[in-house]
Amino acid sequence: MSYTSFALVGAGTVGSGIVAGLAAKNVPIVVLSRPGSKNPEKLPAGAKSEVVDTADVDAVVAVFKKHKVDVVLATLTTTANKAQYPLIDAAKAAGVKLFVPSEYGMPTEGETEGLLGEKNDVAAYVKKSGIPSLRVFVGGFVEYIPWLFTYTENKKISVVGEGDVAASYTAVPDITGFVVHVLTTLPPAELEDKILRIEGDRKRASEIAALFNTTIERVDKMPGELSELKTGLSIAFQSGAGSTGWDAVSKTEGTGDAAAGSANKLWPGHSWQTIKQVHNL
């Protein structure tokens, strides 16, 4: 086993699956929850919880030391990127061996603006702190495709642009299972300061429309709720940035270990779920 004790902050869509996976393997895992959080009530058997102000570095250090934590995983919402800074400071002070920042989306390496730039800044801060890190890029969540393309609202696949550029999509159980697998089977040398790029499926928006037996609706602005966010994502995907192999600096697809899905091989024998399978199309 690579590491023997884990701590996680943010037991939501991705975090809860990681906690369940580690607990199922009888690996020590403690979930840090803010005062008033309901997450401790939902934890699987074997997982421990600590209620602590995650912005209080000294308090978090005490929790990490109490549980002899080797690895800290942050699985926070995208808008909470900056909440990782005190966790990194605490991890440094507690002698944590690996920090896994809250990525789990489009590639952020080299990004300088917006939410993706914030994630890259967090990664830079981890590096500056001297803690080894592991970043995992997954593309879009397969389960969120109907929401992302506003299919749930108008039964069409809405896009800004032509919808002819392929993007990476990975199912949440594949994401969480992959993270648990590599952290509990690979030696630290294969994880420290690495970027792992996985891909469960790869499709253009036009191909997704065909799978859902509907049409492409090309728009200047995505309709419905969170229009600004969806519009930004649609523009990014059209640029190629939705691929886990995307290089934000050169604006090209990476090759070798920087290629989309290049880390899939680290989970030999696993069958990655496709868009068609997840949505029963």
Side-chain angles (χ1 to χ4, degrees), residues 3 96-101 109 122-137 183 187-197 257:
Y3 304 98
V96 165
K97 298 175 182 177
L98 184 72
F99 191 91
V100 186
E109 185 182 30
V122 168
Y125 190 77
V126 179
K127 183 176 182 178
K128 183 179 179 180
S129 75
I131 308 172
S133 69
L134 173 67
R135 300 165 76 177
V136 182
F137 299 155
L183 287 176
E190 293 185 27
L191 299 173
E192 293 177 351
D193 297 322
K194 295 292 193 297
I195 294 177
L196 302 182
R197 304 164 188 267
D257 287 342

Side-chain angles (χ1 to χ4, degrees), residues 222-261:
M222 296 293 276
E225 64 169 355
L226 298 176
S227 172
E228 184 177 351
L229 173 62
K230 291 180 183 178
T231 298
L233 288 171
S234 188
I235 292 171
F237 275 40
Q238 181 63 29
S239 75
S243 169
T244 54
W246 183 250
D247 184 320
V249 177
S250 67
K251 308 298 183 186
T252 59
E253 279 287 318
T255 59
D257 287 342

Side-chain angles (χ1 to χ4, degrees), residues 99-145:
F99 191 91
V100 186
S102 192
E103 293 280 358
Y104 310 111
M106 299 156 56
T108 61
E109 185 182 30
E111 293 286 356
T112 58
E113 299 179 354
L115 295 175
L116 298 184
E118 286 183 4
K119 288 190 174 187
N120 196 44
D121 289 344
V122 168
Y125 190 77
V126 179
K127 183 176 182 178
K128 183 179 179 180
S129 75
I131 308 172
S133 69
L134 173 67
R135 300 165 76 177
V136 182
F137 299 155
V138 307
F141 292 176
V142 172
E143 292 84 351
Y144 286 12
I145 284 175

Side-chain angles (χ1 to χ4, degrees), residues 7 9 32 52-66 69-72 83-99 125-126 129 131:
V9 181
L32 278 62
V52 62
D53 179 358
T54 52
D56 184 334
V57 174
D58 290 339
V60 176
V61 169
V63 171
F64 289 165
K65 287 185 174 181
K66 174 184 175 181
V69 172
D70 287 334
V71 179
V72 173
Q84 295 177 85
Y85 288 106
L87 299 176
I88 297 165
D89 291 340
K92 173 67 174 178
V96 165
K97 298 175 182 177
L98 184 72
F99 191 91
Y125 190 77
V126 179
S129 75
I131 308 172

